Amino acid sequence: MQQWIAKIAYDSKFGTKVKTETFYLPTQDEVRKTVKKNGGYVLTIRPYERTPLERLIARSSWWQVQLLRGIQFRSTATSPGVALWNIIQAETNPTRQNILAPAREALSRGLSVIDALKSLRIFDHGTLAILAASEKANKLAEGIPHAIQAITLKRKNTRAIVGTLSWLGFDVFTIVSSLYYGKDMVLDWFRGNPPQDPEELERFEQVVSSLELTWDTLIYMAIAITVFMVWAIISFFMNRGKRDWPTARIVRKIPLIGSYLRDLGFADSMAAASRMLKGSVPINSTLEQSAEASSIPEVYEYWINTAKDLQRGVSLGAALDRPPLNKGERLELASLADIKQVATVMESISEMRAQAAKTKHSLIVWLAFGITGLYLAIAFGSAIYALTVMNMSMDSMMGGLMQGAL
């Protein structure tokens, strides 16, 4: 499904009128058929693309929370679908109207409120899974606070990571700038003060060459890592809501980060599955919705393969007993048959995975600090080592540099 913008010509008593309308349909052919049924003629069709400002607002966690709270508040007097429709109709800001346009089209075609929220492409898979699970159990209003809590927690974790990376980035930027702009000055001073003894001169040149190579390596390494991080952040921001894309596959191959994302994926999907089972949602629908709860392919394939085994007649416990769950989790699930017990175990697994993700998050932060400290130690240590080898002092070096600068 996709939103399309079509320029349409209609015949009227006063001649041909041209209007621009939006449609939420799978293909351009469907748009043409719909326009033809309405008595119009398609002039142009193009897929709708949000402006950078609309993307920024739509992917703001604050705006997402406000939208869900609006649905929850209005759901006390009407259905969630009508509540969302009223929110859309009451919106007067043109930018937000454009953001909400796909949901309006979805609701006008008779789709569910979850389909309308999915069409907005602003919520992640975990949040949508919580909402879908609550809707399946006919308790969407009760599930919205859980979705808001998930959004708030992820926002808090994101801020912690961004804050840490920003501080580390500032440190690395400072030292890289110092290396980049001070490298030539330091090396020129070294080369301008060579020893007179031939044997010491040969050793001197080796040390200076090694120092230059070390600093060049550090500078280019820092630049490459910075470019990769900026590219990854922009890619994740632009592809938010998609299940998989090249940048995500590369990031998941990083050992610690890959397992951290997998733990988050299982925490979200297991929580959604537990909530649906406790709400008496059929097991097939539960597995299908749980698969949609995460954008991690390993988590998605786990639920899909479980559903396939269940359709072949395999018992529920045996179907759930598969990797990438660890040995302890598989043993707990393999021995269960009662749905309520399975829901309890899944809730327990979700909590353990969430705690494991929190631990890995802390480890990633401290590891980042350690790597940054090692980088700085190599940068300064290499210069101090060069001075020591050449029997020079830091005071004489700084004095020579200051005289050269003057």
Side-chain angles (χ1 to χ4, degrees):
M1 301 292 285
Q2 185 174 355
Q3 187 178 6
W4 306 89
I5 297 180
K7 187 176 290 186
I8 306 168
Y10 290 100
D11 291 330
S12 67
K13 296 179 180 179
F14 305 99
T16 303
K17 290 186 177 181
V18 178
K19 294 183 179 180
T20 300
E21 298 181 7
T22 60
F23 299 87
Y24 186 67
L25 293 167
T27 63
Q28 291 188 18
D29 291 336
E30 293 292 332
V31 176
R32 295 181 189 277
K33 291 178 182 178
T34 302
V35 172
K36 188 176 180 180
K37 288 180 181 179
N38 296 333
Y41 303 91
V42 174
L43 299 178
T44 59
I45 301 176
R46 64 179 176 84
Y48 174 76
E49 294 292 340
R50 287 175 178 161
T51 64
L53 177 60
E54 289 174 1
R55 292 193 188 100
L56 182 63
I57 295 175
R59 290 166 184 172
S60 166
S61 58
W62 178 86
W63 192 72
Q64 294 174 18
V65 169
Q66 295 305 311
L67 179 61
L68 292 178
R69 283 177 177 168
I71 296 174
Q72 182 186 14
F73 176 75
R74 288 170 174 81
S75 296
T76 57
T78 184
S79 67
V82 174
L84 178 57
W85 179 264
N86 291 336
I87 292 174
I88 296 172
Q89 293 298 102
E91 184 59 65
T92 57
N93 185 288
T95 300
R96 292 181 179 175
Q97 286 177 344
N98 290 336
I99 296 172
L100 294 170
R104 182 179 63 247
E105 294 291 333
L107 291 174
S108 65
R109 295 181 60 245
L111 299 179
S112 68
V113 64
I114 296 300
D115 292 326
L117 292 176
K118 287 181 179 179
S119 70
L120 294 176
R121 293 183 297 154
I122 63 176
F123 297 103
D124 58 33
H125 292 279
T127 303
L128 287 173
I130 293 173
L131 296 173
S134 302
E135 187 196 36
K136 289 283 186 180
N138 295 319
K139 298 179 180 178
L140 180 59
E142 298 178 12
I144 288 178
H146 295 286
I148 292 175
Q149 183 181 10
I151 293 174
T152 305
L153 180 60
K154 289 178 182 179
R155 178 175 59 188
K156 182 179 178 181
N157 291 337
T158 300
R159 285 180 176 176
I161 293 176
V162 170
T164 301
L165 293 179
S166 298
W167 179 255
L168 294 176
F170 175 77
D171 286 343
V172 174
F173 174 78
T174 303
I175 190 61
V176 169
S177 300
S178 301
L179 286 176
Y180 183 80
Y181 292 106
K183 182 188 69 172
D184 293 336
M185 181 184 297
V186 173
L187 294 177
D188 288 344
W189 183 83
F190 274 141
R191 292 191 175 103
N193 296 273
Q196 302 300 321
D197 187 279
E199 294 183 359
E200 292 184 0
L201 179 61
E202 182 179 358
R203 185 185 182 189
F204 171 85
E205 291 176 348
Q206 291 178 353
V207 172
V208 172
S209 298
S210 299
L211 181 62
E212 182 177 15
L213 178 61
T214 300
W215 282 3
D216 285 340
T217 301
L218 292 175
I219 291 172
Y220 290 124
M221 184 184 299
I223 292 174
I225 293 174
T226 301
V227 170
F228 172 77
M229 290 179 62
V230 171
W231 170 58
I233 292 172
I234 294 175
S235 179
F236 271 84
F237 182 80
M238 298 300 294
N239 293 282
R240 185 174 182 175
K242 294 183 179 179
R243 183 166 305 283
D244 199 18
W245 66 95
T247 308
R249 289 194 290 270
I250 293 173
V251 172
R252 286 198 302 271
K253 289 181 180 179
I254 302 174
L256 188 58
I257 294 180
S259 59
Y260 167 71
L261 294 175
R262 186 166 57 250
D263 284 341
L264 285 180
F266 271 114
D268 290 338
S269 61
M270 286 288 180
S274 174
R275 189 171 292 109
M276 283 186 282
L277 291 176
K278 289 181 178 180
S280 300
V281 176
I283 187 62
N284 291 333
S285 297
T286 296
L287 297 177
E288 179 182 350
Q289 291 295 331
S290 299
E292 297 296 328
S294 176
S295 59
I296 308 300
E298 290 176 298
V299 179
Y300 177 81
E301 291 173 2
Y302 169 83
W303 294 107
I304 293 299
N305 292 332
T306 298
K308 290 179 179 178
D309 283 354
L310 204 61
Q311 291 174 357
R312 292 200 301 265
V314 179
S315 65
L316 180 59
L320 291 168
D321 179 14
R322 65 175 63 250
L325 294 182
N326 59 44
K327 185 177 180 180
E329 295 167 342
R330 294 176 64 179
L331 286 174
E332 288 189 41
L333 290 170
S335 59
L336 296 176
D338 183 75
I339 292 295
K340 292 184 178 180
Q341 290 180 341
V342 173
T344 303
V345 172
M346 285 185 174
E347 184 177 13
S348 175
I349 291 175
S350 174
E351 293 174 355
M352 289 189 293
R353 287 281 181 165
Q355 184 60 40
K358 185 177 180 180
T359 302
K360 288 185 174 68
H361 171 265
S362 300
L363 184 58
I364 291 172
V365 171
W366 285 110
L367 187 60
F369 274 113
I371 293 175
T372 304
L374 179 62
Y375 181 92
L376 299 178
I378 294 174
F380 286 114
S382 58
I384 296 173
Y385 173 74
L387 291 172
T388 303
V389 170
M390 292 180 286
N391 295 320
M392 299 178 181
S393 66
M394 182 65 76
D395 291 338
S396 65
M397 175 185 171
M398 295 304 296
L401 289 177
M402 292 298 295
Q403 291 178 4
L406 296 175

